[in-house]
Amino acid sequence: MYKILKAEKLADKIFLMDVEAPRIAKHCQPGQFIIAKIDERGERIPLTICDYDRDNGIITIVFQIVGASTYKMSQLQTGDSFADFVGPLGQSSEWIHEDLETLKNKKMLFVAGGVGTAPVYPQVKWLHEHGIDADVIVGSKTKDLLILEDKMREVAGNLYVTTDDGSYERKGMVTEVIKDLVQNQGNKYDVCIAIGPMIMMKFVCLLTKELEIPTIVSMNPIMVDGTGMCGACRLSVGGEIKFACVDGPEFDGHKVDFDQAMKRQQQYKTAEGRAMLAAQEGDTHHGGCGQCN
């Protein structure tokens, strides 16, 4: 059992939990995720790691209610436990393996949309701890749905907040802030890391391709079972079949076929749709079974 040390509501339908998981905290890196199960019969829920405390063996997760399982998870309180809490899973962010001196010479831009702020935070924090400042754009529909702002301000070189309705800081989409920073303020970026809703990442990538900024995206929004066995997170990257949970979750955003991924995500929601996908994709439907690719 994995004890919940803190349970906090961050915003409407968005929750944060600190979970006692020493082995995961010891080995995890930015970009990776865990799988949580509330009880033995519970659904497997993949969640990107928001933060980790190696000394105290704590993993922080942030999740949004999107269905019955996450609703049930939101009802858990401090002192309750998860039956299973597995990780770290997936590949860590590639840039953390780069030479630090080389990394210090790079100008990095992070773009976080909604709950995507949670997986962006540990990456920016890692850079800050290694003496590297990065620019961060955080977008939210409204001020009330903005999360982790104070924590992000502590680690970001520059933080730019924008809300769709203009209820806080700037008004508009994250893409408008990117344009302002690059085209009006003359900032030059070596890489952009964008994490958030699929549609947001798509339009960020369309813009950064035009601006010639290499861009990394996290495809964690399409993960379901977290091992590749379900076939939910199958996607096309540069014309090759990949699976977000075993090959990612981070990929070259300019190579991801977002339209196909979003269409497939909708189709996967029904039993009929899943059956059709399995029939159409054949041996490439699954990624974690060892029989694909």
Side-chain angles (χ1 to χ4, degrees), residues 220-286:
N220 64 73
I222 64 173
M223 293 193 300
V224 174
D225 118 305
T227 65
M229 292 299 291
C230 69
C233 64
R234 179 186 187 274
L235 72 158
S236 175
V237 182
E240 296 183 9
I241 300 302
K242 299 289 184 180
F243 292 82
C245 56
V246 292
D247 298 315
E250 296 183 353
F251 298 96
D252 182 337
H254 294 164
K255 294 183 178 179
V256 172
D257 188 333
F258 282 100
D259 290 335
Q260 181 191 75
M262 288 187 286
K263 180 180 178 181
R264 193 177 185 283
Q265 188 180 29
Q266 289 299 315
Q267 191 173 352
Y268 194 87
K269 291 181 178 179
T270 67
E272 182 181 1
R274 291 192 293 273
M276 179 62 74
L277 288 170
Q280 291 173 337
E281 296 165 358
D283 291 341
T284 67
H285 182 65
H286 302 287

Short mmCIF file of all heavy atoms in Angstrom, two decimals, residues 220-286:
data_model
loop_
_atom_site.label_atom_id
_atom_site.label_comp_id
_atom_site.label_asym_id
_atom_site.label_seq_id
_atom_site.Cartn_x
_atom_site.Cartn_y
_atom_site.Cartn_z
N ASN A 220 1.34 12.27 -23.18
CA ASN A 220 0.68 11.59 -22.05
C ASN A 220 -0.84 11.70 -22.09
O ASN A 220 -1.53 10.85 -21.53
CB ASN A 220 1.22 12.09 -20.71
CG ASN A 220 0.95 13.55 -20.44
OD1 ASN A 220 -0.17 13.95 -20.16
ND2 ASN A 220 1.98 14.38 -20.50
N PRO A 221 -1.46 12.72 -22.76
CA PRO A 221 -2.93 12.77 -22.76
C PRO A 221 -3.60 11.57 -23.43
O PRO A 221 -4.78 11.31 -23.17
CB PRO A 221 -3.22 14.06 -23.55
CG PRO A 221 -2.03 14.91 -23.35
CD PRO A 221 -0.87 13.95 -23.35
N ILE A 222 -2.88 10.84 -24.28
CA ILE A 222 -3.54 9.73 -24.97
C ILE A 222 -3.24 8.38 -24.32
O ILE A 222 -3.70 7.35 -24.80
CB ILE A 222 -3.15 9.68 -26.47
CG1 ILE A 222 -1.65 9.40 -26.66
CG2 ILE A 222 -3.54 10.97 -27.16
CD1 ILE A 222 -1.26 9.18 -28.12
N MET A 223 -2.49 8.36 -23.22
CA MET A 223 -2.18 7.09 -22.57
C MET A 223 -3.38 6.59 -21.78
O MET A 223 -4.11 7.37 -21.17
CB MET A 223 -0.97 7.24 -21.65
CG MET A 223 0.34 7.51 -22.37
SD MET A 223 1.80 7.32 -21.32
CE MET A 223 1.50 8.54 -20.05
N VAL A 224 -3.56 5.27 -21.78
CA VAL A 224 -4.65 4.65 -21.03
C VAL A 224 -4.11 3.61 -20.05
O VAL A 224 -4.19 3.76 -18.84
CB VAL A 224 -5.70 4.01 -21.96
CG1 VAL A 224 -6.75 3.25 -21.16
CG2 VAL A 224 -6.40 5.10 -22.78
N ASP A 225 -3.51 2.54 -20.58
CA ASP A 225 -3.09 1.47 -19.68
C ASP A 225 -1.62 1.62 -19.26
O ASP A 225 -1.20 1.11 -18.23
CB ASP A 225 -3.37 0.11 -20.35
CG ASP A 225 -2.15 -0.74 -20.61
OD1 ASP A 225 -1.22 -0.26 -21.26
OD2 ASP A 225 -2.15 -1.90 -20.16
N GLY A 226 -0.84 2.37 -20.01
CA GLY A 226 0.52 2.70 -19.60
C GLY A 226 1.58 1.69 -19.94
O GLY A 226 2.74 1.86 -19.57
N THR A 227 1.22 0.60 -20.64
CA THR A 227 2.21 -0.42 -20.99
C THR A 227 2.24 -0.72 -22.49
O THR A 227 3.07 -1.49 -22.95
CB THR A 227 1.92 -1.75 -20.26
OG1 THR A 227 0.67 -2.28 -20.73
CG2 THR A 227 1.85 -1.55 -18.76
N GLY A 228 1.33 -0.15 -23.25
CA GLY A 228 1.27 -0.42 -24.68
C GLY A 228 0.35 -1.57 -25.04
O GLY A 228 0.05 -1.79 -26.21
N MET A 229 -0.11 -2.33 -24.05
CA MET A 229 -0.94 -3.51 -24.32
C MET A 229 -2.32 -3.15 -24.86
O MET A 229 -2.91 -3.90 -25.64
CB MET A 229 -1.10 -4.33 -23.04
CG MET A 229 0.18 -4.98 -22.57
SD MET A 229 0.87 -6.14 -23.76
CE MET A 229 -0.34 -7.44 -23.68
N CYS A 230 -2.84 -1.98 -24.48
CA CYS A 230 -4.21 -1.63 -24.89
C CYS A 230 -4.26 -1.03 -26.29
O CYS A 230 -5.30 -0.99 -26.92
CB CYS A 230 -4.84 -0.67 -23.89
SG CYS A 230 -4.11 0.98 -23.89
N GLY A 231 -3.14 -0.51 -26.76
CA GLY A 231 -3.10 0.09 -28.10
C GLY A 231 -3.66 1.49 -28.17
O GLY A 231 -3.75 2.08 -29.23
N ALA A 232 -4.03 2.09 -27.02
CA ALA A 232 -4.66 3.40 -27.02
C ALA A 232 -3.73 4.50 -27.50
O ALA A 232 -4.14 5.42 -28.19
CB ALA A 232 -5.18 3.74 -25.63
N CYS A 233 -2.45 4.43 -27.11
CA CYS A 233 -1.55 5.55 -27.38
C CYS A 233 -0.69 5.33 -28.63
O CYS A 233 0.38 5.92 -28.77
CB CYS A 233 -0.67 5.83 -26.16
SG CYS A 233 0.46 4.48 -25.73
N ARG A 234 -1.17 4.52 -29.54
CA ARG A 234 -0.48 4.32 -30.82
C ARG A 234 -0.58 5.62 -31.62
O ARG A 234 -1.63 6.22 -31.74
CB ARG A 234 -1.16 3.19 -31.60
CG ARG A 234 -0.59 2.85 -32.97
CD ARG A 234 -1.50 1.82 -33.62
NE ARG A 234 -0.99 1.28 -34.86
CZ ARG A 234 -1.17 1.82 -36.06
NH1 ARG A 234 -1.81 2.98 -36.17
NH2 ARG A 234 -0.70 1.24 -37.13
N LEU A 235 0.54 6.05 -32.17
CA LEU A 235 0.54 7.28 -32.97
C LEU A 235 1.63 7.22 -34.02
O LEU A 235 2.51 6.36 -33.98
CB LEU A 235 0.74 8.51 -32.08
CG LEU A 235 2.11 8.77 -31.45
CD1 LEU A 235 2.25 10.25 -31.11
CD2 LEU A 235 2.31 7.94 -30.18
N SER A 236 1.53 8.13 -34.97
CA SER A 236 2.50 8.21 -36.06
C SER A 236 3.46 9.37 -35.79
O SER A 236 3.02 10.51 -35.62
CB SER A 236 1.79 8.41 -37.39
OG SER A 236 2.74 8.59 -38.44
N VAL A 237 4.75 9.05 -35.76
CA VAL A 237 5.78 10.07 -35.55
C VAL A 237 6.78 9.97 -36.70
O VAL A 237 7.53 9.01 -36.80
CB VAL A 237 6.51 9.87 -34.20
CG1 VAL A 237 7.56 10.98 -33.99
CG2 VAL A 237 5.53 9.84 -33.05
N GLY A 238 6.74 10.94 -37.58
CA GLY A 238 7.62 10.90 -38.74
C GLY A 238 7.33 9.70 -39.64
O GLY A 238 8.23 9.16 -40.28
N GLY A 239 6.04 9.28 -39.66
CA GLY A 239 5.66 8.14 -40.49
C GLY A 239 5.90 6.79 -39.85
O GLY A 239 5.55 5.76 -40.41
N GLU A 240 6.48 6.76 -38.65
CA GLU A 240 6.73 5.51 -37.93
C GLU A 240 5.71 5.33 -36.81
O GLU A 240 5.27 6.30 -36.21
CB GLU A 240 8.13 5.49 -37.33
CG GLU A 240 9.25 5.52 -38.36
CD GLU A 240 10.62 5.44 -37.72
OE1 GLU A 240 10.68 5.18 -36.49
OE2 GLU A 240 11.63 5.62 -38.43
N ILE A 241 5.34 4.08 -36.55
CA ILE A 241 4.40 3.78 -35.47
C ILE A 241 5.14 3.80 -34.14
O ILE A 241 6.13 3.11 -33.95
CB ILE A 241 3.72 2.42 -35.68
CG1 ILE A 241 2.95 2.40 -37.00
CG2 ILE A 241 2.78 2.11 -34.50
CD1 ILE A 241 1.89 3.47 -37.12
N LYS A 242 4.62 4.60 -33.20
CA LYS A 242 5.19 4.68 -31.86
C LYS A 242 4.06 4.55 -30.84
O LYS A 242 2.89 4.69 -31.17
CB LYS A 242 5.89 6.03 -31.66
CG LYS A 242 7.06 6.30 -32.60
CD LYS A 242 8.25 5.42 -32.30
CE LYS A 242 9.44 5.77 -33.20
NZ LYS A 242 10.61 4.92 -32.91
N PHE A 243 4.45 4.28 -29.59
CA PHE A 243 3.49 4.20 -28.50
C PHE A 243 3.95 5.12 -27.38
O PHE A 243 5.08 5.02 -26.91
CB PHE A 243 3.35 2.75 -28.00
CG PHE A 243 2.69 1.86 -29.01
CD1 PHE A 243 3.44 1.30 -30.04
CD2 PHE A 243 1.34 1.61 -28.97
CE1 PHE A 243 2.84 0.51 -31.01
CE2 PHE A 243 0.73 0.82 -29.94
CZ PHE A 243 1.48 0.26 -30.96
N ALA A 244 3.07 6.05 -27.01
CA ALA A 244 3.46 7.08 -26.04
C ALA A 244 4.00 6.51 -24.75
O ALA A 244 4.96 7.03 -24.18
CB ALA A 244 2.26 7.99 -25.76
N CYS A 245 3.40 5.42 -24.27
CA CYS A 245 3.78 4.91 -22.95
C CYS A 245 5.11 4.17 -22.93
O CYS A 245 5.82 4.20 -21.93
CB CYS A 245 2.68 4.02 -22.39
SG CYS A 245 2.23 2.65 -23.47
N VAL A 246 5.49 3.50 -24.02
CA VAL A 246 6.74 2.74 -24.02
C VAL A 246 7.86 3.44 -24.80
O VAL A 246 9.03 3.31 -24.46
CB VAL A 246 6.54 1.31 -24.57
CG1 VAL A 246 5.70 0.50 -23.61
CG2 VAL A 246 5.90 1.32 -25.94
N ASP A 247 7.51 4.20 -25.83
CA ASP A 247 8.51 4.91 -26.62
C ASP A 247 8.68 6.35 -26.17
O ASP A 247 9.67 7.00 -26.48
CB ASP A 247 8.13 4.91 -28.11
CG ASP A 247 8.06 3.51 -28.69
OD1 ASP A 247 8.98 2.73 -28.42
OD2 ASP A 247 7.08 3.21 -29.40
N GLY A 248 7.72 6.87 -25.45
CA GLY A 248 7.71 8.27 -25.02
C GLY A 248 7.69 8.39 -23.52
O GLY A 248 8.37 7.63 -22.85
N PRO A 249 6.94 9.36 -23.00
CA PRO A 249 5.84 10.06 -23.69
C PRO A 249 6.26 11.27 -24.54
O PRO A 249 5.42 11.88 -25.17
CB PRO A 249 4.95 10.51 -22.53
CG PRO A 249 5.88 10.69 -21.38
CD PRO A 249 6.93 9.63 -21.53
N GLU A 250 7.56 11.61 -24.57
CA GLU A 250 7.97 12.81 -25.30
C GLU A 250 8.47 12.47 -26.70
O GLU A 250 9.21 11.50 -26.89
CB GLU A 250 9.04 13.57 -24.51
CG GLU A 250 8.53 14.10 -23.18
CD GLU A 250 9.55 14.92 -22.42
OE1 GLU A 250 10.72 14.97 -22.85
OE2 GLU A 250 9.16 15.51 -21.40
N PHE A 251 8.07 13.31 -27.67
CA PHE A 251 8.44 13.10 -29.06
C PHE A 251 8.73 14.43 -29.75
O PHE A 251 8.38 15.50 -29.22
CB PHE A 251 7.31 12.39 -29.83
CG PHE A 251 6.97 11.03 -29.30
CD1 PHE A 251 5.92 10.86 -28.40
CD2 PHE A 251 7.69 9.91 -29.70
CE1 PHE A 251 5.60 9.60 -27.91
CE2 PHE A 251 7.38 8.65 -29.20
CZ PHE A 251 6.33 8.49 -28.32
N ASP A 252 9.33 14.34 -30.90
CA ASP A 252 9.53 15.52 -31.75
C ASP A 252 8.17 15.99 -32.23
O ASP A 252 7.51 15.33 -33.03
CB ASP A 252 10.43 15.14 -32.94
CG ASP A 252 10.74 16.32 -33.85
OD1 ASP A 252 9.98 17.29 -33.86
OD2 ASP A 252 11.74 16.24 -34.58
N GLY A 253 7.75 17.14 -31.74
CA GLY A 253 6.41 17.64 -32.05
C GLY A 253 6.17 17.92 -33.51
O GLY A 253 5.04 17.85 -33.99
N HIS A 254 7.21 18.24 -34.25
CA HIS A 254 7.06 18.55 -35.67
C HIS A 254 6.87 17.29 -36.51
O HIS A 254 6.55 17.38 -37.69
CB HIS A 254 8.27 19.34 -36.17
CG HIS A 254 8.37 20.70 -35.55
ND1 HIS A 254 9.52 21.47 -35.61
CD2 HIS A 254 7.46 21.44 -34.85
CE1 HIS A 254 9.31 22.61 -34.97
NE2 HIS A 254 8.07 22.61 -34.50
N LYS A 255 7.06 16.12 -35.88
CA LYS A 255 6.88 14.86 -36.60
C LYS A 255 5.61 14.12 -36.21
O LYS A 255 5.23 13.15 -36.84
CB LYS A 255 8.10 13.95 -36.38
CG LYS A 255 9.39 14.47 -36.97
CD LYS A 255 10.53 13.49 -36.77
CE LYS A 255 11.83 13.98 -37.41
NZ LYS A 255 12.94 13.01 -37.19
N VAL A 256 4.95 14.58 -35.13
CA VAL A 256 3.74 13.91 -34.65
C VAL A 256 2.56 14.26 -35.55
O VAL A 256 2.33 15.42 -35.89
CB VAL A 256 3.42 14.33 -33.20
CG1 VAL A 256 2.05 13.81 -32.77
CG2 VAL A 256 4.50 13.83 -32.25
N ASP A 257 1.80 13.23 -35.94
CA ASP A 257 0.57 13.45 -36.71
C ASP A 257 -0.56 13.68 -35.71
O ASP A 257 -1.23 12.74 -35.26
CB ASP A 257 0.28 12.22 -37.59
CG ASP A 257 -0.88 12.45 -38.55
OD1 ASP A 257 -1.76 13.28 -38.22
OD2 ASP A 257 -0.92 11.80 -39.61
N PHE A 258 -0.77 14.93 -35.33
CA PHE A 258 -1.76 15.26 -34.31
C PHE A 258 -3.19 14.97 -34.77
O PHE A 258 -4.02 14.52 -33.98
CB PHE A 258 -1.64 16.73 -33.91
CG PHE A 258 -0.50 17.01 -32.98
CD1 PHE A 258 0.70 17.53 -33.46
CD2 PHE A 258 -0.60 16.73 -31.62
CE1 PHE A 258 1.75 17.78 -32.60
CE2 PHE A 258 0.44 16.98 -30.76
CZ PHE A 258 1.63 17.51 -31.25
N ASP A 259 -3.47 15.25 -36.04
CA ASP A 259 -4.83 15.03 -36.53
C ASP A 259 -5.21 13.56 -36.43
O ASP A 259 -6.32 13.21 -35.98
CB ASP A 259 -4.96 15.51 -37.98
CG ASP A 259 -4.89 17.03 -38.09
OD1 ASP A 259 -5.22 17.70 -37.10
OD2 ASP A 259 -4.51 17.53 -39.16
N GLN A 260 -4.29 12.70 -36.81
CA GLN A 260 -4.55 11.26 -36.71
C GLN A 260 -4.71 10.84 -35.26
O GLN A 260 -5.60 10.05 -34.91
CB GLN A 260 -3.40 10.48 -37.36
CG GLN A 260 -3.60 8.97 -37.33
CD GLN A 260 -2.34 8.21 -37.73
OE1 GLN A 260 -1.40 8.12 -36.95
NE2 GLN A 260 -2.32 7.71 -38.96
N ALA A 261 -3.83 11.35 -34.39
CA ALA A 261 -3.88 10.97 -32.97
C ALA A 261 -5.18 11.41 -32.31
O ALA A 261 -5.78 10.66 -31.52
CB ALA A 261 -2.68 11.57 -32.24
N MET A 262 -5.65 12.62 -32.63
CA MET A 262 -6.89 13.11 -32.02
C MET A 262 -8.11 12.35 -32.54
O MET A 262 -9.03 12.04 -31.79
CB MET A 262 -7.03 14.61 -32.26
CG MET A 262 -6.06 15.45 -31.44
SD MET A 262 -6.35 17.24 -31.55
CE MET A 262 -5.73 17.57 -33.21
N LYS A 263 -8.11 12.05 -33.83
CA LYS A 263 -9.21 11.28 -34.41
C LYS A 263 -9.25 9.89 -33.79
O LYS A 263 -10.31 9.37 -33.44
CB LYS A 263 -9.03 11.18 -35.93
CG LYS A 263 -10.12 10.40 -36.62
CD LYS A 263 -9.89 10.34 -38.13
CE LYS A 263 -10.96 9.51 -38.81
NZ LYS A 263 -10.72 9.42 -40.29
N ARG A 264 -8.06 9.30 -33.63
CA ARG A 264 -7.97 7.95 -33.07
C ARG A 264 -8.39 7.95 -31.60
O ARG A 264 -9.02 7.01 -31.12
CB ARG A 264 -6.53 7.45 -33.21
CG ARG A 264 -6.35 5.97 -32.95
CD ARG A 264 -4.90 5.56 -33.19
NE ARG A 264 -4.78 4.12 -33.05
CZ ARG A 264 -4.75 3.50 -31.87
NH1 ARG A 264 -4.82 4.20 -30.75
NH2 ARG A 264 -4.65 2.18 -31.81
N GLN A 265 -8.03 9.01 -30.87
CA GLN A 265 -8.40 9.13 -29.46
C GLN A 265 -9.92 9.12 -29.29
O GLN A 265 -10.45 8.48 -28.37
CB GLN A 265 -7.80 10.41 -28.88
CG GLN A 265 -7.96 10.55 -27.37
CD GLN A 265 -7.34 11.83 -26.86
OE1 GLN A 265 -7.26 12.83 -27.57
NE2 GLN A 265 -6.87 11.82 -25.62
N GLN A 266 -10.63 9.81 -30.17
CA GLN A 266 -12.09 9.82 -30.11
C GLN A 266 -12.66 8.45 -30.44
O GLN A 266 -13.59 7.97 -29.80
CB GLN A 266 -12.64 10.87 -31.09
CG GLN A 266 -12.39 12.30 -30.65
CD GLN A 266 -13.05 12.63 -29.32
OE1 GLN A 266 -14.20 12.30 -29.08
NE2 GLN A 266 -12.29 13.28 -28.44
N GLN A 267 -12.09 7.80 -31.45
CA GLN A 267 -12.58 6.50 -31.88
C GLN A 267 -12.37 5.45 -30.79
O GLN A 267 -13.19 4.55 -30.60
CB GLN A 267 -11.86 6.07 -33.17
CG GLN A 267 -12.48 4.85 -33.84
CD GLN A 267 -11.84 4.56 -35.19
OE1 GLN A 267 -11.03 5.34 -35.70
NE2 GLN A 267 -12.20 3.44 -35.79
N TYR A 268 -11.29 5.59 -30.03
CA TYR A 268 -10.94 4.61 -29.01
C TYR A 268 -11.91 4.61 -27.83
O TYR A 268 -11.97 3.66 -27.06
CB TYR A 268 -9.51 4.87 -28.50
CG TYR A 268 -8.93 3.73 -27.70
CD1 TYR A 268 -8.27 2.67 -28.31
CD2 TYR A 268 -9.08 3.69 -26.31
CE1 TYR A 268 -7.77 1.61 -27.57
CE2 TYR A 268 -8.57 2.64 -25.56
CZ TYR A 268 -7.91 1.61 -26.19
OH TYR A 268 -7.42 0.57 -25.46
N LYS A 269 -12.71 5.65 -27.69
CA LYS A 269 -13.58 5.78 -26.52
C LYS A 269 -14.75 4.81 -26.51
O LYS A 269 -15.37 4.60 -25.47
CB LYS A 269 -14.11 7.22 -26.44
CG LYS A 269 -13.05 8.24 -26.07
CD LYS A 269 -13.62 9.64 -25.98
CE LYS A 269 -12.56 10.65 -25.58
NZ LYS A 269 -13.10 12.03 -25.50
N THR A 270 -15.09 4.20 -27.65
CA THR A 270 -16.20 3.26 -27.69
C THR A 270 -15.69 1.85 -27.98
O THR A 270 -14.64 1.67 -28.61
CB THR A 270 -17.21 3.64 -28.79
OG1 THR A 270 -16.59 3.49 -30.08
CG2 THR A 270 -17.67 5.08 -28.61
N ALA A 271 -16.41 0.86 -27.51
CA ALA A 271 -16.04 -0.54 -27.74
C ALA A 271 -16.00 -0.85 -29.23
O ALA A 271 -15.11 -1.55 -29.72
CB ALA A 271 -17.02 -1.47 -27.03
N GLU A 272 -16.97 -0.31 -29.96
CA GLU A 272 -17.02 -0.51 -31.41
C GLU A 272 -15.79 0.12 -32.08
O GLU A 272 -15.19 -0.47 -32.98
CB GLU A 272 -18.30 0.10 -31.99
CG GLU A 272 -18.45 -0.12 -33.49
CD GLU A 272 -19.72 0.50 -34.03
OE1 GLU A 272 -20.47 1.11 -33.25
OE2 GLU A 272 -19.96 0.38 -35.24
N GLY A 273 -15.44 1.30 -31.61
CA GLY A 273 -14.27 1.99 -32.17
C GLY A 273 -12.99 1.24 -31.90
O GLY A 273 -12.12 1.12 -32.78
N ARG A 274 -12.84 0.71 -30.68
CA ARG A 274 -11.63 -0.06 -30.33
C ARG A 274 -11.53 -1.32 -31.18
O ARG A 274 -10.44 -1.70 -31.63
CB ARG A 274 -11.64 -0.41 -28.84
CG ARG A 274 -11.44 0.80 -27.94
CD ARG A 274 -11.17 0.39 -26.50
NE ARG A 274 -12.32 -0.24 -25.87
CZ ARG A 274 -13.29 0.43 -25.25
NH1 ARG A 274 -13.26 1.75 -25.20
NH2 ARG A 274 -14.29 -0.23 -24.68
N ALA A 275 -12.66 -1.97 -31.40
CA ALA A 275 -12.67 -3.18 -32.22
C ALA A 275 -12.28 -2.87 -33.65
O ALA A 275 -11.52 -3.61 -34.29
CB ALA A 275 -14.05 -3.84 -32.17
N MET A 276 -12.77 -1.74 -34.16
CA MET A 276 -12.44 -1.33 -35.52
C MET A 276 -10.95 -1.02 -35.65
O MET A 276 -10.29 -1.42 -36.63
CB MET A 276 -13.27 -0.13 -35.93
CG MET A 276 -12.99 0.39 -37.34
SD MET A 276 -13.36 -0.84 -38.64
CE MET A 276 -15.15 -0.78 -38.61
N LEU A 277 -10.39 -0.32 -34.67
CA LEU A 277 -8.97 0.01 -34.70
C LEU A 277 -8.11 -1.24 -34.67
O LEU A 277 -7.13 -1.36 -35.40
CB LEU A 277 -8.61 0.92 -33.51
CG LEU A 277 -9.11 2.36 -33.59
CD1 LEU A 277 -8.89 3.06 -32.26
CD2 LEU A 277 -8.40 3.11 -34.71
N ALA A 278 -8.49 -2.21 -33.82
CA ALA A 278 -7.73 -3.45 -33.72
C ALA A 278 -7.75 -4.21 -35.05
O ALA A 278 -6.75 -4.77 -35.49
CB ALA A 278 -8.29 -4.33 -32.60
N ALA A 279 -8.92 -4.19 -35.71
CA ALA A 279 -9.05 -4.88 -36.99
C ALA A 279 -8.25 -4.18 -38.09
O ALA A 279 -7.59 -4.83 -38.91
CB ALA A 279 -10.53 -4.96 -37.39
N GLN A 280 -8.27 -2.86 -38.09
CA GLN A 280 -7.58 -2.09 -39.13
C GLN A 280 -6.07 -2.12 -38.96
O GLN A 280 -5.32 -2.15 -39.94
CB GLN A 280 -8.07 -0.63 -39.10
CG GLN A 280 -9.51 -0.45 -39.55
CD GLN A 280 -9.98 0.99 -39.35
OE1 GLN A 280 -9.45 1.72 -38.52
NE2 GLN A 280 -11.00 1.39 -40.10
N GLU A 281 -5.61 -2.13 -37.70
CA GLU A 281 -4.17 -1.98 -37.44
C GLU A 281 -3.43 -3.29 -37.29
O GLU A 281 -2.19 -3.33 -37.35
CB GLU A 281 -3.99 -1.11 -36.19
CG GLU A 281 -4.50 0.31 -36.41
CD GLU A 281 -4.67 1.11 -35.13
OE1 GLU A 281 -4.44 0.55 -34.04
OE2 GLU A 281 -5.06 2.29 -35.21
N GLY A 282 -4.15 -4.36 -37.08
CA GLY A 282 -3.53 -5.68 -37.03
C GLY A 282 -2.41 -5.79 -36.01
O GLY A 282 -2.56 -5.40 -34.85
N ASP A 283 -1.25 -6.29 -36.47
CA ASP A 283 -0.13 -6.54 -35.56
C ASP A 283 0.47 -5.27 -34.97
O ASP A 283 1.23 -5.33 -34.01
CB ASP A 283 0.97 -7.31 -36.29
CG ASP A 283 0.56 -8.74 -36.61
OD1 ASP A 283 -0.40 -9.23 -35.97
OD2 ASP A 283 1.18 -9.35 -37.49
N THR A 284 0.16 -4.12 -35.57
CA THR A 284 0.73 -2.87 -35.04
C THR A 284 -0.20 -2.19 -34.05
O THR A 284 0.07 -1.08 -33.62
CB THR A 284 1.05 -1.88 -36.18
OG1 THR A 284 -0.19 -1.44 -36.78
CG2 THR A 284 1.93 -2.50 -37.23
N HIS A 285 -1.29 -2.85 -33.67
CA HIS A 285 -2.26 -2.23 -32.76
C HIS A 285 -1.69 -2.08 -31.35
O HIS A 285 -2.01 -1.14 -30.64
CB HIS A 285 -3.54 -3.07 -32.70
CG HIS A 285 -4.61 -2.48 -31.84
ND1 HIS A 285 -5.24 -1.29 -32.13
CD2 HIS A 285 -5.15 -2.91 -30.66
CE1 HIS A 285 -6.13 -1.02 -31.18
NE2 HIS A 285 -6.10 -1.98 -30.29
N HIS A 286 -0.85 -3.00 -30.91
CA HIS A 286 -0.28 -2.99 -29.57
C HIS A 286 1.20 -2.69 -29.63
O HIS A 286 1.89 -3.00 -30.58
CB HIS A 286 -0.50 -4.33 -28.87
CG HIS A 286 -1.95 -4.72 -28.75
ND1 HIS A 286 -2.80 -4.10 -27.88
CD2 HIS A 286 -2.68 -5.64 -29.42
CE1 HIS A 286 -4.01 -4.65 -28.00
NE2 HIS A 286 -3.97 -5.57 -28.92
#
